[in-house]
Coordinates of all heavy atoms in Angstrom, one line a residue:
Chain B
M265 N 3.1 -24.8 8.1 CA 3.3 -26.2 8.3 C 4.1 -26.5 9.6 O 3.7 -27.3 10.4 CB 3.9 -26.9 7.1 CG 3.1 -26.8 5.9 SD 1.3 -27.0 6.1 CE 1.3 -28.7 6.6
A266 N 5.3 -25.9 9.6 CA 6.2 -26.2 10.8 C 5.5 -25.9 12.1 O 5.6 -26.7 13.0 CB 7.5 -25.5 10.6
V267 N 4.8 -24.7 12.1 CA 4.2 -24.3 13.3 C 3.0 -25.2 13.7 O 2.9 -25.7 14.9 CB 3.6 -22.9 13.2 CG1 2.8 -22.4 14.4 CG2 4.8 -21.9 12.9
T268 N 2.2 -25.6 12.7 CA 1.1 -26.5 12.9 C 1.6 -27.8 13.6 O 1.0 -28.4 14.4 CB 0.4 -26.9 11.6 OG1 0.1 -25.7 10.9 CG2 -0.8 -27.7 11.8
M269 N 2.8 -28.2 13.2 CA 3.3 -29.5 13.6 C 3.9 -29.5 15.0 O 4.0 -30.5 15.7 CB 4.3 -30.1 12.6 CG 3.6 -30.5 11.3 SD 4.7 -30.7 9.9 CE 5.2 -32.4 10.0
V270 N 4.3 -28.3 15.5 CA 5.0 -28.3 16.8 C 4.3 -27.5 17.9 O 4.8 -27.5 19.0 CB 6.5 -27.8 16.7 CG1 7.3 -28.7 15.7 CG2 6.6 -26.4 16.3
I271 N 3.3 -26.7 17.5 CA 2.8 -25.8 18.5 C 1.8 -26.4 19.5 O 1.4 -25.9 20.5 CB 2.2 -24.5 17.8 CG1 2.1 -23.4 18.8 CG2 0.8 -24.8 17.3 CD1 1.8 -22.0 18.2
G272 N 1.2 -27.6 19.1 CA 0.3 -28.3 20.0 C -1.1 -28.1 19.7 O -2.0 -28.8 20.1
N273 N -1.4 -27.0 18.9 CA -2.8 -26.8 18.4 C -3.9 -26.8 19.5 O -4.8 -27.5 19.5 CB -3.2 -27.8 17.3 CG -2.2 -27.7 16.2 OD1 -1.8 -26.6 15.8 ND2 -1.9 -28.8 15.5
R274 N -3.7 -26.0 20.6 CA -4.7 -25.9 21.6 C -5.2 -24.4 21.6 O -4.4 -23.5 21.7 CB -4.2 -26.3 23.0 CG -5.4 -26.5 23.9 CD -5.0 -27.1 25.2 NE -4.3 -26.1 26.0 CZ -3.7 -26.4 27.1 NH1 -3.7 -27.7 27.6 NH2 -3.1 -25.5 27.8
N275 N -6.5 -24.3 21.5 CA -7.1 -23.0 21.3 C -7.3 -22.3 22.6 O -8.3 -22.2 23.1 CB -8.4 -23.2 20.6 CG -8.8 -21.9 19.8 OD1 -8.1 -20.9 20.0 ND2 -9.9 -21.9 19.1
D276 N -6.2 -21.7 23.1 CA -6.2 -21.2 24.4 C -5.1 -20.2 24.5 O -4.0 -20.4 24.0 CB -5.9 -22.4 25.3 CG -6.4 -22.2 26.7 OD1 -7.0 -21.1 26.9 OD2 -6.3 -23.1 27.6
V277 N -5.3 -19.1 25.2 CA -4.2 -18.2 25.5 C -3.6 -18.4 26.9 O -4.4 -18.4 27.9 CB -4.7 -16.7 25.4 CG1 -3.5 -15.8 25.6 CG2 -5.3 -16.4 24.1
S278 N -2.4 -18.8 26.9 CA -1.8 -19.2 28.2 C -0.6 -18.3 28.5 O 0.1 -17.9 27.6 CB -1.4 -20.7 28.2 OG -0.6 -20.9 29.3
A279 N -0.4 -18.1 29.8 CA 0.8 -17.2 30.2 C 2.1 -18.0 30.0 O 3.1 -17.4 29.8 CB 0.6 -16.8 31.6
S280 N 2.0 -19.3 30.1 CA 3.2 -20.1 30.1 C 3.7 -20.4 28.6 O 2.8 -20.7 27.8 CB 3.0 -21.4 30.8 OG 4.1 -22.3 30.5
L281 N 5.0 -20.2 28.4 CA 5.5 -20.5 27.0 C 5.6 -22.0 26.8 O 5.8 -22.5 25.7 CB 6.8 -19.9 26.8 CG 6.9 -18.4 26.8 CD1 8.3 -17.9 26.6 CD2 6.0 -17.8 25.8
F282 N 5.5 -22.8 27.9 CA 5.5 -24.3 27.8 C 4.2 -24.9 27.4 O 4.1 -26.1 27.1 CB 6.0 -24.9 29.1 CG 7.4 -24.6 29.5 CD1 7.7 -24.3 30.8 CD2 8.4 -24.5 28.5 CE1 9.0 -23.9 31.2 CE2 9.7 -24.2 28.9 CZ 10.0 -23.9 30.2
A283 N 3.1 -24.1 27.4 CA 1.8 -24.6 27.1 C 1.6 -24.6 25.6 O 2.1 -23.7 24.9 CB 0.8 -23.7 27.8
P284 N 0.8 -25.5 25.1 CA 0.5 -25.5 23.7 C -0.3 -24.3 23.3 O -1.0 -23.7 24.1 CB -0.4 -26.8 23.5 CG -0.2 -27.6 24.8 CD 0.2 -26.6 25.8
G285 N -0.2 -23.9 22.1 CA -1.0 -22.8 21.6 C -1.6 -23.1 20.2 O -1.6 -24.2 19.8
Y286 N -2.0 -22.0 19.5 CA -2.6 -22.2 18.2 C -2.3 -20.9 17.4 O -2.0 -19.9 18.0 CB -4.1 -22.3 18.3 CG -4.7 -23.3 17.4 CD1 -4.0 -24.0 16.5 CD2 -6.1 -23.5 17.4 CE1 -4.6 -24.9 15.6 CE2 -6.7 -24.4 16.6 CZ -6.0 -25.1 15.7 OH -6.6 -26.0 14.8
T287 N -2.2 -21.0 16.1 CA -2.1 -19.7 15.3 C -3.1 -19.7 14.2 O -3.8 -20.7 14.0 CB -0.7 -19.6 14.6 OG1 -0.6 -20.6 13.6 CG2 0.5 -19.8 15.6
M288 N -3.3 -18.5 13.6 CA -4.3 -18.4 12.6 C -4.0 -19.4 11.4 O -4.9 -20.1 11.0 CB -4.2 -17.0 12.0 CG -4.4 -16.0 13.1 SD -5.0 -14.5 12.4 CE -4.2 -13.4 11.8
A289 N -2.7 -19.4 11.0 CA -2.4 -20.3 9.9 C -2.6 -21.8 10.3 O -3.1 -22.6 9.5 CB -0.9 -20.1 9.5
A290 N -2.2 -22.1 11.5 CA -2.4 -23.5 11.9 C -3.8 -23.9 12.0 O -4.2 -25.1 11.6 CB -1.7 -23.7 13.3
A291 N -4.7 -23.0 12.5 CA -6.1 -23.3 12.5 C -6.7 -23.6 11.1 O -7.4 -24.6 10.9 CB -6.9 -22.2 13.2
I292 N -6.3 -22.8 10.2 CA -6.8 -23.0 8.8 C -6.3 -24.3 8.3 O -7.1 -25.1 7.8 CB -6.3 -21.8 7.9 CG1 -6.8 -20.5 8.4 CG2 -6.8 -22.1 6.5 CD1 -6.2 -19.3 7.6
A293 N -5.0 -24.6 8.5 CA -4.4 -25.8 8.0 C -5.1 -27.1 8.6 O -5.4 -28.0 7.9 CB -2.9 -25.9 8.3
N294 N -5.4 -27.0 9.9 CA -6.0 -28.1 10.6 C -7.4 -28.4 10.3 O -7.9 -29.5 10.1 CB -5.8 -28.0 12.1 CG -4.5 -28.6 12.6 OD1 -4.1 -29.6 12.0 ND2 -4.0 -27.9 13.6
E295 N -8.2 -27.3 10.2 CA -9.6 -27.4 10.2 C -10.3 -27.3 8.9 O -11.4 -27.8 8.7 CB -10.2 -26.4 11.2 CG -9.8 -26.6 12.6 CD -10.3 -25.6 13.6 OE1 -11.4 -25.0 13.3 OE2 -9.7 -25.4 14.7
F296 N -9.6 -26.7 7.9 CA -10.3 -26.3 6.7 C -10.8 -27.5 5.9 O -12.0 -27.5 5.5 CB -9.4 -25.5 5.8 CG -10.2 -24.6 4.9 CD1 -10.4 -23.2 5.2 CD2 -10.7 -25.0 3.7 CE1 -11.1 -22.4 4.4 CE2 -11.4 -24.2 2.8 CZ -11.6 -22.9 3.2
S297 N -10.0 -28.5 5.8 CA -10.5 -29.7 4.9 C -11.4 -30.6 5.7 O -12.1 -31.4 5.1 CB -9.3 -30.5 4.4 OG -8.5 -30.9 5.5
E298 N -11.5 -30.3 7.0 CA -12.5 -31.2 7.8 C -13.8 -30.5 8.1 O -14.7 -31.1 8.6 CB -11.8 -31.7 9.1 CG -10.9 -32.9 8.8 CD -9.8 -33.0 9.7 OE1 -9.8 -32.5 10.9 OE2 -8.7 -33.6 9.3
A299 N -13.8 -29.1 7.9 CA -15.0 -28.4 8.3 C -16.1 -28.8 7.4 O -16.0 -28.9 6.2 CB -14.7 -26.9 8.2
V300 N -17.3 -29.0 7.9 CA -18.5 -29.4 7.1 C -19.5 -28.3 7.1 O -20.2 -28.1 6.1 CB -19.1 -30.7 7.6 CG1 -18.4 -31.9 7.1 CG2 -19.2 -30.7 9.1
K301 N -19.6 -27.5 8.2 CA -20.6 -26.4 8.2 C -20.1 -25.2 7.4 O -19.0 -24.9 7.5 CB -20.9 -26.0 9.7 CG -21.6 -27.1 10.4 CD -21.8 -26.6 11.9 CE -22.5 -27.7 12.7 NZ -22.4 -27.4 14.1
D302 N -21.0 -24.6 6.7 CA -20.7 -23.4 6.0 C -20.1 -22.3 6.8 O -19.2 -21.6 6.5 CB -22.0 -22.9 5.2 CG -22.3 -23.7 4.0 OD1 -21.4 -24.4 3.6 OD2 -23.4 -23.6 3.5
I303 N -20.7 -22.2 8.1 CA -20.3 -21.1 8.9 C -18.8 -21.3 9.4 O -18.1 -20.4 9.6 CB -21.3 -20.8 10.1 CG1 -20.9 -19.6 10.9 CG2 -21.4 -22.1 11.0 CD1 -21.1 -18.3 10.3
H304 N -18.5 -22.6 9.6 CA -17.1 -22.9 10.1 C -16.1 -22.6 8.9 O -15.1 -21.9 9.2 CB -17.1 -24.4 10.4 CG -15.8 -24.8 11.1 ND1 -15.6 -26.1 11.4 CD2 -14.8 -24.1 11.6 CE1 -14.4 -26.2 12.0 NE2 -13.9 -25.0 12.1
L305 N -16.5 -23.0 7.7 CA -15.6 -22.7 6.6 C -15.5 -21.2 6.4 O -14.4 -20.6 6.2 CB -16.2 -23.3 5.3 CG -16.0 -24.8 5.1 CD1 -16.9 -25.3 4.0 CD2 -14.6 -25.1 4.8
S306 N -16.6 -20.5 6.6 CA -16.6 -19.1 6.4 C -15.7 -18.4 7.5 O -15.0 -17.4 7.2 CB -18.0 -18.5 6.4 OG -18.1 -17.2 6.1
A307 N -15.8 -18.9 8.7 CA -15.0 -18.3 9.8 C -13.5 -18.5 9.5 O -12.7 -17.6 9.7 CB -15.4 -19.0 11.1
L308 N -13.2 -19.7 8.9 CA -11.8 -19.9 8.6 C -11.3 -19.0 7.5 O -10.2 -18.5 7.5 CB -11.6 -21.4 8.2 CG -11.7 -22.4 9.4 CD1 -11.8 -23.8 8.9 CD2 -10.5 -22.2 10.3
A309 N -12.2 -18.8 6.5 CA -11.9 -17.9 5.4 C -11.7 -16.4 6.0 O -10.8 -15.7 5.5 CB -13.0 -17.9 4.3
Y310 N -12.5 -16.1 7.0 CA -12.4 -14.8 7.6 C -11.0 -14.7 8.3 O -10.3 -13.7 8.2 CB -13.5 -14.7 8.7 CG -13.8 -13.3 9.2 CD1 -14.8 -13.1 10.1 CD2 -13.0 -12.2 8.8 CE1 -15.1 -11.8 10.6 CE2 -13.3 -10.9 9.2 CZ -14.3 -10.7 10.2 OH -14.6 -9.5 10.7
V311 N -10.6 -15.8 8.9 CA -9.2 -15.8 9.5 C -8.2 -15.6 8.5 O -7.2 -14.8 8.6 CB -9.0 -17.2 10.3 CG1 -7.5 -17.3 10.7 CG2 -9.9 -17.3 11.4
A312 N -8.4 -16.3 7.3 CA -7.4 -16.1 6.2 C -7.4 -14.6 5.7 O -6.3 -14.1 5.5 CB -7.8 -17.0 5.0
L313 N -8.5 -14.0 5.7 CA -8.6 -12.6 5.3 C -7.9 -11.7 6.3 O -7.1 -10.8 5.9 CB -10.1 -12.2 5.2 CG -10.4 -10.8 4.7 CD1 -9.9 -10.6 3.2 CD2 -11.9 -10.5 4.8
L314 N -8.1 -12.0 7.6 CA -7.3 -11.2 8.6 C -5.8 -11.4 8.4 O -5.1 -10.4 8.5 CB -7.8 -11.7 10.0 CG -9.0 -11.2 10.6 CD1 -9.2 -11.8 12.0 CD2 -9.0 -9.7 10.7
L315 N -5.4 -12.6 8.2 CA -4.0 -12.9 8.1 C -3.4 -12.2 6.9 O -2.3 -11.6 6.9 CB -3.8 -14.5 7.9 CG -2.4 -15.0 7.9 CD1 -1.7 -14.6 9.2 CD2 -2.4 -16.5 7.8
F316 N -4.2 -12.2 5.8 CA -3.8 -11.5 4.6 C -3.6 -10.0 4.9 O -2.5 -9.4 4.6 CB -4.9 -11.6 3.5 CG -4.6 -10.8 2.3 CD1 -3.8 -11.3 1.3 CD2 -5.3 -9.6 2.1 CE1 -3.6 -10.6 0.1 CE2 -5.0 -8.9 1.0 CZ -4.2 -9.3 0.0
V317 N -4.6 -9.4 5.6 CA -4.4 -8.0 5.9 C -3.2 -7.7 6.7 O -2.4 -6.8 6.5 CB -5.7 -7.4 6.5 CG1 -5.6 -6.0 7.0 CG2 -6.9 -7.5 5.6
V318 N -3.0 -8.5 7.8 CA -1.9 -8.3 8.7 C -0.6 -8.4 8.0 O 0.3 -7.5 8.1 CB -2.0 -9.3 9.9 CG1 -0.7 -9.2 10.7 CG2 -3.2 -9.0 10.8
T319 N -0.4 -9.5 7.2 CA 0.9 -9.6 6.5 C 1.2 -8.6 5.5 O 2.3 -8.1 5.3 CB 1.0 -11.0 5.9 OG1 -0.2 -11.3 5.1 CG2 1.2 -12.1 6.9
V320 N 0.1 -8.1 4.8 CA 0.3 -7.1 3.7 C 0.8 -5.8 4.4 O 1.7 -5.1 4.0 CB -0.9 -6.9 2.9 CG1 -0.8 -5.6 2.1 CG2 -1.2 -8.0 1.9
L321 N 0.1 -5.5 5.5 CA 0.5 -4.2 6.2 C 2.0 -4.3 6.7 O 2.7 -3.4 6.6 CB -0.4 -4.0 7.4 CG -1.8 -3.5 7.1 CD1 -2.7 -3.3 8.3 CD2 -1.8 -2.2 6.2
V322 N 2.3 -5.5 7.3 CA 3.7 -5.6 7.9 C 4.7 -5.6 6.7 O 5.7 -4.9 6.9 CB 3.8 -7.0 8.6 CG1 5.2 -7.3 8.9 CG2 3.0 -6.9 9.9
N323 N 4.4 -6.2 5.6 CA 5.4 -6.2 4.5 C 5.5 -4.8 3.9 O 6.6 -4.4 3.6 CB 4.9 -7.2 3.4 CG 5.4 -8.6 3.8 OD1 6.5 -8.9 4.1 ND2 4.4 -9.5 3.8
A324 N 4.4 -4.1 3.8 CA 4.5 -2.8 3.2 C 5.3 -1.9 4.1 O 6.2 -1.2 3.6 CB 3.1 -2.2 3.1
G325 N 5.2 -2.0 5.4 CA 6.0 -1.2 6.3 C 7.5 -1.5 6.2 O 8.3 -0.6 6.1
A326 N 7.8 -2.8 6.0 CA 9.2 -3.3 5.9 C 9.8 -2.7 4.6 O 10.9 -2.2 4.7 CB 9.2 -4.8 5.9
R327 N 9.1 -2.8 3.5 CA 9.6 -2.3 2.2 C 9.9 -0.8 2.3 O 10.9 -0.4 1.8 CB 8.6 -2.6 1.1 CG 8.3 -4.0 0.9 CD 8.6 -4.5 -0.5 NE 8.5 -5.9 -0.5 CZ 9.5 -6.8 -0.6 NH1 10.7 -6.3 -0.9 NH2 9.3 -8.1 -0.6
L328 N 9.0 -0.1 2.9 CA 9.2 1.3 3.0 C 10.5 1.7 3.7 O 11.3 2.5 3.3 CB 8.0 1.9 3.8 CG 7.6 3.3 3.4 CD1 7.1 3.4 2.0 CD2 6.6 3.9 4.4
L329 N 10.8 0.9 4.9 CA 12.0 1.2 5.6 C 13.2 0.8 4.9 O 14.2 1.5 4.9 CB 11.9 0.4 7.0 CG 10.9 1.0 8.0 CD1 10.7 0.0 9.1 CD2 11.5 2.3 8.5
I330 N 13.2 -0.4 4.2 CA 14.4 -0.8 3.5 C 14.7 0.2 2.3 O 15.8 0.5 2.1 CB 14.2 -2.2 2.9 CG1 14.0 -3.2 4.0 CG2 15.3 -2.6 2.0 CD1 13.5 -4.5 3.6
W331 N 13.6 0.6 1.7 CA 13.7 1.5 0.5 C 14.4 2.8 0.9 O 15.2 3.4 0.2 CB 12.3 1.7 0.0 CG 12.2 2.7 -1.2 CD1 12.7 2.4 -2.5 CD2 11.7 4.0 -1.1 NE1 12.4 3.5 -3.2 CE2 11.8 4.5 -2.4 CE3 11.1 4.8 -0.1 CZ2 11.4 5.8 -2.8 CZ3 10.7 6.1 -0.5 CH2 10.9 6.5 -1.8
R332 N 14.1 3.2 2.2 CA 14.7 4.5 2.6 C 16.2 4.4 2.7 O 16.9 5.4 2.5 CB 14.1 4.9 4.0 CG 12.9 5.8 3.9 CD 12.3 6.1 5.2 NE 13.2 6.7 6.1 CZ 12.9 6.9 7.4 NH1 11.7 6.5 7.8 NH2 13.8 7.4 8.2
V333 N 16.7 3.3 3.1 CA 18.2 3.2 3.1 C 18.8 2.9 1.8 O 19.7 3.5 1.3 CB 18.6 2.0 4.1 CG1 20.1 1.9 4.0 CG2 18.2 2.4 5.5
A334 N 18.2 1.9 1.1 CA 18.8 1.5 -0.2 C 18.7 2.5 -1.3 O 19.5 2.6 -2.2 CB 18.1 0.2 -0.6

Side-chain angles (χ1 to χ4, degrees):
Chain B
M265 298 318 295
V267 175
T268 308
M269 291 161 91
V270 303
I271 201 168
N273 300 326
R274 197 171 70 189
N275 203 355
D276 204 359
V277 184
S278 169
S280 168
L281 295 180
F282 295 139
Y286 217 1
T287 70
M288 305 205 281
I292 302 171
N294 270 326
E295 298 179 20
F296 208 94
S297 55
E298 276 150 29
V300 278
K301 289 179 181 164
D302 282 344
I303 184 70
H304 192 184
L305 283 169
S306 186
L308 288 168
Y310 197 179
V311 173
L313 184 63
L314 278 181
L315 187 58
F316 173 83
V317 172
V318 171
T319 46
V320 166
L321 287 180
V322 166
N323 279 308
R327 300 239 169 245
L328 208 66
L329 286 166
I330 296 167
W331 177 73
R332 267 177 56 189
V333 175

